[in-house]
């Protein structure tokens, strides 16, 4: 097979890139190691910045998002039993949309099927070759045997554990990492959300987050030690623990029910530099991971893909490779700002096992300052809703 761009990975990054390029008449193939059902079964976050909504509109996949998504104008932070609202619409004139990443992935898969663009699911042993030479190729196996795709460019959208970043010679890549000493235990339940807006809680027993997928499906998270197992957390223990961390009003109003999904996710900050190696471009989780506290994971993947798609379209339309040449530096500017904000929100709202009494007072003072200072709230708001995209 020969295509212009071979995309490894059918997560939101790979599927969105495929959609933006297809709309510009650029031929792609997506190679995904898992089945479509498995890809759709992964429960991930669901908070979309305005820039992400704009990019999904540009890709022609925003109809259901606009119909079913919840537009939020503010968020609440709770500390010492008191909730404080950050009115980001009022502070920076922008809002966010609550719409599950699974739904975004679903819409993108449907769109790709509708245009009949090629995707190979359950592609085994995917490997990338000669991306720093002149004839980039991707090889993979299916039941039918070995296959090879020749292409002009390879897009590595295969996530943190993918093959593309691992195929880059060690000397050519620099990585930065911070692993946090706790995880998030998340539960999805078909119960009405405890509050119309998200509540981030810093409690002496640990962090908690109340969020939702719709007005009938809720998502809750509690900070837990990394040693914990899902089996240690029957539903009842989860609801009791969550209730114990919420303010009195939320605790009284919380409606519990059977969990329909329950999982523990580690928290990590990770960045790989650069994002380009000849004809290979990394995008999304293949290049960076943020802790979920800032809700930046999906939004960063979308902004990478937006920059890459615009670069490839300019290249194929006018031979201008300047955007592709600036791809890595542009993405990294945005990535490090999102890493900072996600690290800061994580440091502000979680209880770190090794923090001493002075450290706890510093955290409390940081929160007190935030709740008193419109300037500090404005800074949080502009980062939370998403910094402007460079275009
Ligand atoms: N060959 C083919 N496909 C692969 C390989 C491989 N060797 N390794 C991984 N993949 C596939 C995975 O199965 C997955 O479907 O690549 C896809 C990567 O998708 P994601 O992990 O969702 O990454 P990305 O598309 O960058 O989306 C980032 O996902 O984890 C969240 O918070 C993150 O919201 C962010 C979003
Ligand atoms: C979610 O809805 O799952 C969610 C929202 C905001 C976050 C993290 C997760 O910061």
């Amino acid at each position: 097979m020969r295509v212009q761009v071979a995309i490894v990975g059918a997560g939101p990054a790979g599927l969105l890139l495929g959609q933006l390029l297809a709309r510009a008449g650029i031929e792609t193939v997506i190679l995904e190691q898992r089945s479509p059902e498995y890809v759709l079964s992964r429960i991930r976050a669901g908070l979309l910045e305005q820039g992400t909504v704009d990019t999904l509109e540009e890709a022609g996949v925003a109809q259901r998002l606009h119909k079913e998504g919840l537009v939020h104008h503010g968020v609440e932070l709770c500390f010492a039993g008191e909730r404080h609202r950050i009115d980001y619409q009022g502070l920076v004139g922008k809002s966010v949309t609550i719409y599950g990443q699974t739904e975004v992935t679903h819409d993108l898969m449907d769109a790709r099927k509708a245009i009949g663009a090629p995707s190979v699911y359950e592609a085994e042993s995917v490997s990338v070759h000669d991306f720093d030479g002149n004839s980039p190729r991707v090889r993979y196996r299916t039941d039918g045997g070995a296959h090879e795709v020749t292409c002009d460019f390879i897009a590595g959208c295969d996530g943190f554990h993918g093959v593309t970043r691992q195929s880059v010679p060690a000397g050519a890549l620099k990585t930065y990492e911070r692993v946090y000493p706790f995880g998030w235990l998340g539960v999805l339940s078909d119960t009405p959300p405890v509050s119309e807006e998200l509540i981030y809680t810093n409690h002496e027993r640990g962090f908690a987050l109340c969020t939702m997928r719709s007005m009938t499906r809720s998502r809750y998270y509690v900070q837990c030690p990394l040693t914990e197992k899902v089996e240690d957390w029957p539903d009842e223990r989860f609801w009791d623990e969550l209730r114990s961390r919420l303010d009195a009003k939320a605790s009284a109003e919380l409606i519990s029910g059977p969990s329909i999904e329950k999982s523990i996710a580690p928290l990590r900050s990770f960045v790989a530099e650069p994002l380009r190696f000849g004809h290979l471009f990394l995008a999304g989780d293949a290049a960076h991971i943020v802790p979920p506290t800032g809700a930046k994971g999906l939004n960063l993947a979308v902004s990478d893909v937006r920059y890459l798609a615009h670069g490839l379209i300019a290249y194929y339309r006018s031979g201008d490779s300047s955007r592709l040449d600036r791809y890595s530096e542009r993405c990294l500017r945005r990535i490090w700002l999102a890493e900072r904000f996600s690290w800061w929100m994580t440091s502000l709202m979680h209880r770190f096992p090794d923090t001493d009494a002075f450290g706890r007072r510093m955290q409390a003072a940081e929160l007190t300052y935030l709740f008193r200072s419109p300037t500090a709230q404005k800074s949080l708001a502009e980062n939370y809703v998403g910094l402007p995209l460079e275009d």
Side-chain angles (χ1 to χ4, degrees), residues 293-365:
T293 329
K296 294 294 175 215
L298 176 62
N299 296 299
L300 264 185
V302 169
S303 58
D304 289 351
V305 162
R306 181 191 177 100
Y307 291 153
L308 183 53
H310 290 179
L312 289 164
I313 292 166
Y315 173 80
Y316 282 112
R317 284 214 174 122
S318 64
D320 165 16
S321 64
S322 62
R323 282 175 179 264
L324 286 180
D325 298 342
R326 290 203 314 275
Y327 168 72
S328 183
E329 76 182 70
R330 296 180 87 190
C331 289
L332 284 167
R333 260 198 299 275
R334 194 174 178 77
I335 290 164
W336 279 114
L337 290 173
E339 290 286 349
R340 180 210 70 86
F341 177 66
S342 306
W343 162 84
W344 177 76
M345 278 287 279
T346 303
S347 310
L348 186 70
M349 299 306 289
H350 289 75
R351 289 298 168 118
F352 287 69
D354 56 3
T355 301
D356 61 10
F358 179 79
R360 280 195 289 283
R361 283 304 171 95
M362 280 303 99
Q363 195 186 57

Coordinates of all heavy atoms in Angstrom, one line a residue, residues 293-365:
T293 N -5.4 16.4 36.5 CA -5.9 17.5 37.4 C -6.2 18.7 36.6 O -7.1 19.5 37.0 CB -4.9 17.8 38.5 OG1 -4.2 16.6 38.9 CG2 -5.7 18.3 39.7
G294 N -5.5 18.9 35.5 CA -5.7 20.2 34.7 C -6.6 19.9 33.5 O -6.9 20.8 32.7
A295 N -7.0 18.7 33.3 CA -7.9 18.3 32.2 C -7.2 18.7 30.8 O -7.9 19.2 29.9 CB -9.3 18.9 32.3
K296 N -5.9 18.5 30.7 CA -5.2 18.9 29.4 C -4.9 17.8 28.5 O -4.5 18.0 27.3 CB -3.9 19.6 29.8 CG -4.2 20.9 30.6 CD -4.9 21.9 29.7 CE -5.3 23.2 30.4 NZ -6.5 23.8 29.9
G297 N -5.0 16.5 28.9 CA -4.5 15.4 28.1 C -5.1 15.4 26.6 O -4.3 15.5 25.7
L298 N -6.4 15.3 26.5 CA -7.0 15.3 25.2 C -6.8 16.6 24.5 O -6.5 16.6 23.3 CB -8.5 15.0 25.4 CG -9.3 15.1 24.1 CD1 -8.9 14.0 23.1 CD2 -10.8 14.9 24.4
N299 N -6.9 17.7 25.2 CA -6.8 19.0 24.6 C -5.4 19.3 24.0 O -5.2 19.8 22.9 CB -7.1 20.1 25.6 CG -8.6 20.0 26.0 OD1 -9.5 20.2 25.2 ND2 -8.8 19.8 27.3
L300 N -4.4 18.8 24.6 CA -3.0 18.9 24.1 C -2.8 18.0 22.8 O -2.2 18.4 21.9 CB -2.0 18.4 25.1 CG -1.3 19.5 26.0 CD1 -0.3 18.8 26.9 CD2 -0.7 20.6 25.2
A301 N -3.4 16.8 22.9 CA -3.4 15.9 21.7 C -4.0 16.6 20.5 O -3.5 16.5 19.4 CB -4.0 14.6 22.0
V302 N -5.1 17.2 20.8 CA -5.8 17.9 19.7 C -5.0 19.1 19.1 O -4.9 19.3 17.9 CB -7.3 18.4 20.1 CG1 -7.9 19.3 19.1 CG2 -8.1 17.2 20.4
S303 N -4.4 19.8 20.0 CA -3.6 21.0 19.5 C -2.4 20.5 18.7 O -2.0 21.1 17.7 CB -3.2 22.0 20.6 OG -2.5 21.3 21.6
D304 N -1.7 19.4 19.2 CA -0.6 18.9 18.4 C -1.1 18.5 17.0 O -0.5 18.9 16.0 CB -0.1 17.5 19.0 CG 0.6 17.7 20.3 OD1 0.9 18.8 20.7 OD2 0.9 16.6 20.9
V305 N -2.2 17.8 16.9 CA -2.8 17.3 15.6 C -3.2 18.5 14.7 O -3.0 18.4 13.5 CB -3.9 16.3 15.9 CG1 -4.8 16.1 14.7 CG2 -3.4 15.0 16.4
R306 N -3.7 19.5 15.3 CA -4.1 20.7 14.6 C -2.9 21.3 13.9 O -2.9 21.6 12.7 CB -4.8 21.7 15.5 CG -5.3 23.0 14.9 CD -5.6 24.0 15.9 NE -6.0 25.2 15.3 CZ -7.3 25.6 15.2 NH1 -8.3 24.8 15.5 NH2 -7.6 26.8 14.7
Y307 N -1.8 21.5 14.7 CA -0.5 22.0 14.1 C 0.0 21.1 13.0 O 0.5 21.6 12.0 CB 0.5 22.2 15.2 CG 0.2 23.3 16.2 CD1 0.7 23.3 17.5 CD2 -0.6 24.4 15.8 CE1 0.4 24.3 18.4 CE2 -0.9 25.4 16.8 CZ -0.4 25.4 18.0 OH -0.7 26.3 19.0
L308 N 0.0 19.8 13.3 CA 0.6 18.8 12.3 C -0.3 18.8 11.0 O 0.3 18.9 9.9 CB 0.6 17.4 12.9 CG 1.3 16.3 12.1 CD1 2.7 16.8 11.6 CD2 1.4 15.0 12.8
A309 N -1.6 18.8 11.2 CA -2.5 18.8 10.0 C -2.3 20.0 9.1 O -2.1 19.9 7.9 CB -3.9 18.6 10.4
H310 N -2.2 21.2 9.8 CA -2.0 22.4 9.1 C -0.7 22.5 8.3 O -0.6 22.9 7.2 CB -2.2 23.6 10.0 CG -3.6 23.8 10.5 ND1 -4.0 24.8 11.3 CD2 -4.8 23.1 10.2 CE1 -5.3 24.8 11.6 NE2 -5.8 23.7 10.9
G311 N 0.3 21.9 9.0 CA 1.6 21.8 8.4 C 1.6 20.9 7.2 O 2.2 21.3 6.1
L312 N 1.0 19.7 7.3 CA 1.0 18.8 6.2 C 0.1 19.3 5.0 O 0.5 19.2 3.8 CB 0.4 17.4 6.7 CG 1.4 16.6 7.6 CD1 0.6 15.5 8.3 CD2 2.5 16.0 6.8
I313 N -1.0 20.0 5.3 CA -1.8 20.5 4.3 C -1.1 21.6 3.5 O -1.1 21.6 2.3 CB -3.1 21.0 4.9 CG1 -4.0 19.9 5.4 CG2 -4.0 21.8 3.9 CD1 -5.1 20.3 6.4
A314 N -0.4 22.5 4.2 CA 0.4 23.5 3.6 C 1.5 22.9 2.7 O 1.7 23.3 1.6 CB 1.1 24.4 4.6
Y315 N 2.1 21.9 3.2 CA 3.2 21.2 2.4 C 2.6 20.6 1.1 O 3.2 20.8 0.0 CB 3.8 20.1 3.3 CG 4.8 19.2 2.5 CD1 6.1 19.6 2.3 CD2 4.4 18.0 2.0 CE1 7.0 18.8 1.6 CE2 5.3 17.2 1.3 CZ 6.6 17.6 1.1 OH 7.4 16.8 0.4
Y316 N 1.5 19.9 1.2 CA 0.9 19.2 0.0 C 0.3 20.2 -0.9 O 0.2 20.1 -2.1 CB 0.0 18.1 0.4 CG 0.7 16.9 0.8 CD1 0.6 16.4 2.2 CD2 1.4 16.1 0.0 CE1 1.2 15.3 2.6 CE2 2.1 15.0 0.3 CZ 2.0 14.6 1.7 OH 2.7 13.4 2.1
R317 N -0.2 21.4 -0.4 CA -0.9 22.3 -1.2 C 0.1 23.3 -1.9 O 0.0 23.6 -3.1 CB -1.9 23.2 -0.4 CG -3.1 22.5 0.0 CD -4.3 23.4 0.1 NE -5.5 22.6 0.3 CZ -6.4 22.8 1.3 NH1 -6.1 23.8 2.2 NH2 -7.4 22.1 1.5
S318 N 1.2 23.7 -1.2 CA 2.1 24.7 -1.8 C 3.5 24.3 -1.7 O 4.4 25.2 -2.0 CB 1.8 26.0 -1.1 OG 2.3 25.8 0.3
G319 N 3.8 23.1 -1.2 CA 5.2 22.7 -1.0 C 5.9 23.5 0.1 O 7.1 23.3 0.3
D320 N 5.2 24.3 0.8 CA 5.7 25.1 1.9 C 5.9 24.2 3.2 O 4.9 23.8 3.7 CB 4.8 26.3 2.2 CG 5.1 27.0 3.6 OD1 6.2 26.7 4.1 OD2 4.3 27.7 4.1
S321 N 7.1 23.9 3.5 CA 7.4 23.1 4.7 C 7.7 23.8 6.0 O 8.0 23.2 7.0 CB 8.5 22.1 4.4 OG 9.7 22.9 4.2
S322 N 7.5 25.2 5.9 CA 7.9 26.0 7.1 C 7.0 25.6 8.4 O 7.6 25.5 9.5 CB 7.7 27.5 6.8 OG 6.3 27.7 6.5
R323 N 5.8 25.3 8.2 CA 4.9 24.9 9.4 C 5.4 23.6 9.9 O 5.5 23.4 11.1 CB 3.5 24.8 9.0 CG 2.7 26.2 8.9 CD 1.3 26.0 8.4 NE 0.6 27.2 8.2 CZ -0.2 27.7 9.2 NH1 -0.4 27.0 10.3 NH2 -0.8 28.8 9.0
L324 N 5.7 22.6 9.0 CA 6.2 21.3 9.5 C 7.6 21.5 10.2 O 7.8 20.9 11.3 CB 6.4 20.4 8.3 CG 5.1 19.8 7.7 CD1 5.5 18.9 6.5 CD2 4.3 19.1 8.8
D325 N 8.4 22.5 9.7 CA 9.7 22.7 10.3 C 9.6 23.3 11.7 O 10.4 23.2 12.6 CB 10.6 23.6 9.4 CG 10.8 22.9 8.0 OD1 10.6 21.7 8.0 OD2 11.1 23.7 7.1
R326 N 8.4 24.0 11.9 CA 8.2 24.7 13.2 C 7.3 23.8 14.1 O 7.1 24.2 15.3 CB 7.6 26.0 13.0 CG 8.5 27.1 12.4 CD 8.0 28.5 12.7 NE 6.6 28.7 12.6 CZ 6.0 29.0 11.5 NH1 6.7 29.1 10.3 NH2 4.6 29.2 11.4
Y327 N 6.9 22.7 13.6 CA 5.9 21.8 14.4 C 6.4 21.6 15.8 O 5.7 21.8 16.8 CB 5.6 20.5 13.6 CG 4.8 19.5 14.4 CD1 3.5 19.7 14.7 CD2 5.5 18.4 15.0 CE1 2.8 18.8 15.5 CE2 4.7 17.5 15.7 CZ 3.4 17.7 16.0 OH 2.7 16.8 16.7
S328 N 7.6 21.0 15.9 CA 8.0 20.6 17.3 C 8.1 21.8 18.2 O 7.5 21.7 19.3 CB 9.4 19.9 17.1 OG 9.8 19.4 18.4
E329 N 8.7 22.9 17.8 CA 8.9 24.0 18.8 C 7.5 24.6 19.2 O 7.3 24.9 20.3 CB 9.8 25.1 18.2 CG 9.1 25.9 17.1 CD 10.0 27.0 16.5 OE1 10.9 26.6 15.7 OE2 9.7 28.2 16.7
R330 N 6.6 24.7 18.2 CA 5.3 25.2 18.5 C 4.6 24.4 19.5 O 4.0 24.9 20.5 CB 4.4 25.3 17.2 CG 5.0 26.3 16.2 CD 4.1 26.3 15.0 NE 3.1 27.3 15.2 CZ 2.0 27.5 14.4 NH1 1.9 26.6 13.4 NH2 1.2 28.4 14.5
C331 N 4.6 23.1 19.2 CA 3.9 22.2 20.2 C 4.5 22.2 21.6 O 3.8 22.3 22.6 CB 3.9 20.7 19.7 SG 2.9 20.4 18.2
L332 N 5.8 22.2 21.6 CA 6.5 22.2 22.9 C 6.2 23.4 23.7 O 6.1 23.4 25.0 CB 8.0 22.0 22.7 CG 8.4 20.5 22.4 CD1 9.8 20.4 21.9 CD2 8.1 19.6 23.6
R333 N 6.1 24.6 23.0 CA 5.7 25.8 23.8 C 4.4 25.6 24.5 O 4.3 25.9 25.7 CB 5.5 27.0 22.8 CG 6.7 27.9 22.7 CD 6.4 29.2 22.1 NE 5.9 29.2 20.7 CZ 6.6 29.1 19.7 NH1 7.9 29.1 19.8 NH2 6.1 29.1 18.5
R334 N 3.4 25.0 23.8 CA 2.1 24.8 24.4 C 2.2 23.6 25.4 O 1.5 23.7 26.5 CB 1.1 24.5 23.3 CG -0.3 24.5 23.8 CD -1.3 24.3 22.6 NE -2.6 24.4 23.1 CZ -3.3 25.5 23.4 NH1 -2.7 26.6 23.3 NH2 -4.5 25.4 23.8
I335 N 2.9 22.6 25.1 CA 3.0 21.4 26.0 C 3.6 21.8 27.4 O 3.0 21.5 28.4 CB 3.9 20.4 25.4 CG1 3.2 19.7 24.1 CG2 4.3 19.3 26.4 CD1 4.1 19.0 23.2
W336 N 4.7 22.6 27.4 CA 5.3 23.0 28.7 C 4.4 23.9 29.5 O 4.3 23.8 30.7 CB 6.7 23.6 28.5 CG 7.7 22.5 28.2 CD1 8.4 22.3 27.1 CD2 8.1 21.5 29.2 NE1 9.3 21.2 27.2 CE2 9.1 20.7 28.5 CE3 7.8 21.2 30.5 CZ2 9.7 19.6 29.1 CZ3 8.4 20.1 31.1 CH2 9.4 19.3 30.4
L337 N 3.6 24.7 28.9 CA 2.7 25.6 29.6 C 1.6 24.7 30.2 O 1.1 24.9 31.4 CB 2.1 26.6 28.7 CG 3.1 27.7 28.3 CD1 2.4 28.7 27.3 CD2 3.6 28.5 29.5
A338 N 1.1 23.7 29.5 CA 0.1 22.8 30.0 C 0.6 21.9 31.1 O 0.0 21.6 32.1 CB -0.5 22.0 28.9
E339 N 1.9 21.5 30.9 CA 2.6 20.7 32.0 C 2.7 21.5 33.3 O 2.4 21.0 34.3 CB 4.0 20.2 31.5 CG 4.0 19.2 30.3 CD 3.6 17.8 30.8 OE1 3.5 17.6 32.0 OE2 3.3 17.0 29.9
R340 N 3.1 22.8 33.1 CA 3.2 23.6 34.3 C 1.8 23.7 35.0 O 1.7 23.5 36.2 CB 3.7 25.0 33.9 CG 3.8 25.9 35.2 CD 3.6 27.4 34.9 NE 2.2 27.7 34.6 CZ 1.2 27.9 35.5 NH1 1.5 27.9 36.8 NH2 0.0 28.2 35.1
F341 N 0.8 24.0 34.2 CA -0.6 24.2 34.9 C -1.0 22.9 35.5 O -1.5 22.9 36.6 CB -1.6 24.7 33.8 CG -3.0 24.8 34.4 CD1 -3.3 25.7 35.3 CD2 -4.0 23.9 33.9 CE1 -4.5 25.9 35.9 CE2 -5.3 24.0 34.5 CZ -5.5 25.0 35.4
S342 N -0.8 21.8 34.8 CA -1.3 20.5 35.4 C -0.5 20.1 36.6 O -1.0 19.6 37.6 CB -1.1 19.4 34.3 OG -1.8 19.8 33.1
W343 N 0.8 20.4 36.6 CA 1.7 20.1 37.8 C 1.2 21.0 39.0 O 1.1 20.6 40.1 CB 3.1 20.4 37.4 CG 4.1 20.5 38.6 CD1 4.7 19.6 39.3 CD2 4.5 21.8 39.2 NE1 5.4 20.1 40.3 CE2 5.3 21.5 40.2 CE3 4.2 23.1 38.8 CZ2 5.9 22.5 41.0 CZ3 4.7 24.1 39.6 CH2 5.6 23.8 40.7
W344 N 1.0 22.3 38.6 CA 0.6 23.2 39.7 C -0.8 22.8 40.3 O -0.9 22.8 41.5 CB 0.4 24.6 39.1 CG 0.0 25.7 40.0 CD1 0.7 26.3 41.0 CD2 -1.3 26.3 40.1 NE1 -0.1 27.2 41.7 CE2 -1.3 27.2 41.1 CE3 -2.5 26.1 39.4 CZ2 -2.5 28.0 41.5 CZ3 -3.6 26.9 39.7 CH2 -3.6 27.8 40.7
M345 N -1.8 22.5 39.4 CA -3.1 22.1 40.0 C -2.9 20.8 40.8 O -3.6 20.7 41.9 CB -4.1 21.8 38.8 CG -4.7 23.0 38.2 SD -6.0 23.7 39.3 CE -7.4 22.6 39.0
T346 N -2.1 19.9 40.4 CA -1.9 18.7 41.1 C -1.2 19.0 42.5 O -1.6 18.4 43.5 CB -1.0 17.7 40.3 OG1 -1.6 17.5 39.0 CG2 -0.8 16.4 41.0
S347 N -0.2 19.8 42.5 CA 0.5 20.2 43.7 C -0.5 20.9 44.7 O -0.4 20.8 45.9 CB 1.6 21.1 43.4 OG 2.4 20.6 42.4
L348 N -1.4 21.7 44.1 CA -2.3 22.5 44.9 C -3.4 21.7 45.6 O -3.9 22.0 46.7 CB -3.0 23.6 44.0 CG -3.9 24.6 44.6 CD1 -3.0 25.6 45.4 CD2 -4.6 25.4 43.5
M349 N -3.9 20.7 44.9 CA -5.2 20.0 45.3 C -5.0 18.6 45.9 O -5.9 18.0 46.3 CB -6.1 19.9 44.1 CG -6.5 21.3 43.5 SD -7.2 22.4 44.8 CE -8.8 21.6 45.1
H350 N -3.7 18.1 45.9 CA -3.5 16.7 46.4 C -2.7 16.8 47.7 O -2.1 17.7 48.0 CB -2.7 15.9 45.4 CG -3.5 15.5 44.2 ND1 -3.8 16.4 43.2 CD2 -4.1 14.3 43.9 CE1 -4.5 15.8 42.3 NE2 -4.7 14.6 42.7
R351 N -2.9 15.7 48.5 CA -2.1 15.5 49.7 C -0.9 14.6 49.4 O -1.1 13.5 49.0 CB -2.9 14.9 50.8 CG -4.0 15.9 51.4 CD -3.3 17.1 52.0 NE -4.3 18.1 52.2 CZ -4.6 18.6 53.5 NH1 -4.0 18.1 54.5 NH2 -5.5 19.5 53.6
F352 N 0.3 15.2 49.5 CA 1.5 14.4 49.2 C 2.0 13.7 50.5 O 2.2 14.4 51.5 CB 2.6 15.3 48.7 CG 2.4 15.7 47.2 CD1 1.3 16.6 47.0 CD2 3.1 15.3 46.2 CE1 1.1 17.0 45.6 CE2 2.9 15.7 44.9 CZ 1.8 16.5 44.6
P353 N 2.2 12.4 50.5 CA 2.6 11.7 51.7 C 3.8 12.3 52.5 O 3.8 12.3 53.7 CB 2.9 10.3 51.2 CG 2.8 10.3 49.7 CD 2.2 11.5 49.3
D354 N 4.8 12.8 51.7 CA 6.0 13.3 52.4 C 6.0 14.8 52.7 O 7.0 15.4 53.0 CB 7.2 12.9 51.6 CG 7.1 13.5 50.2 OD1 6.1 14.2 50.0 OD2 8.0 13.2 49.4
T355 N 4.8 15.5 52.6 CA 4.8 16.9 52.9 C 4.8 17.1 54.4 O 4.0 16.5 55.1 CB 3.5 17.5 52.3 OG1 3.5 17.3 50.9 CG2 3.4 19.0 52.5
D356 N 5.7 18.0 54.8 CA 5.7 18.3 56.3 C 4.7 19.4 56.7 O 4.0 19.9 55.8 CB 7.2 18.7 56.7 CG 7.6 20.0 55.9 OD1 6.7 20.6 55.3 OD2 8.8 20.3 56.0
A357 N 4.7 19.7 57.9 CA 3.7 20.7 58.4 C 3.9 22.0 57.7 O 2.9 22.7 57.3 CB 3.9 20.9 59.9
F358 N 5.2 22.5 57.5 CA 5.4 23.7 56.8 C 4.8 23.6 55.3 O 4.1 24.5 54.9 CB 6.8 24.1 56.7 CG 7.1 25.4 56.0 CD1 6.9 26.6 56.6 CD2 7.5 25.4 54.6 CE1 7.0 27.8 55.9 CE2 7.7 26.6 54.0 CZ 7.5 27.8 54.6
G359 N 5.0 22.5 54.7 CA 4.5 22.3 53.3 C 3.0 22.4 53.3 O 2.4 23.0 52.4
R360 N 2.3 21.8 54.2 CA 0.9 21.8 54.3 C 0.4 23.3 54.4 O -0.6 23.7 53.8 CB 0.3 20.9 55.4 CG 0.3 19.5 55.0 CD -0.6 18.6 55.9 NE 0.1 18.5 57.2 CZ 1.1 17.6 57.5 NH1 1.6 16.9 56.5 NH2 1.6 17.5 58.7
R361 N 1.1 24.1 55.3 CA 0.7 25.5 55.5 C 0.9 26.3 54.2 O 0.1 27.1 53.8 CB 1.5 26.1 56.6 CG 1.0 25.7 58.0 CD -0.4 26.0 58.2 NE -0.9 25.4 59.4 CZ -1.0 26.1 60.6 NH1 -0.6 27.3 60.6 NH2 -1.5 25.5 61.7
M362 N 2.0 25.9 53.5 CA 2.2 26.6 52.2 C 1.1 26.3 51.2 O 0.6 27.2 50.5 CB 3.5 26.2 51.6 CG 4.8 26.8 52.2 SD 4.7 28.6 52.1 CE 4.1 29.0 53.7
Q363 N 0.6 25.1 51.2 CA -0.5 24.7 50.3 C -1.7 25.5 50.7 O -2.4 26.0 49.8 CB -0.7 23.2 50.4 CG -1.6 22.6 49.2 CD -1.9 21.2 49.4 OE1 -2.4 20.8 50.4 NE2 -1.5 20.4 48.4
A364 N -2.0 25.5 52.0 CA -3.2 26.2 52.5 C -3.1 27.7 52.1 O -4.1 28.3 51.7 CB -3.3 26.0 54.0
A365 N -1.9 28.3 52.3 CA -1.7 29.7 52.0 C -1.9 30.0 50.5 O -2.5 31.0 50.1 CB -0.3 30.2 52.4

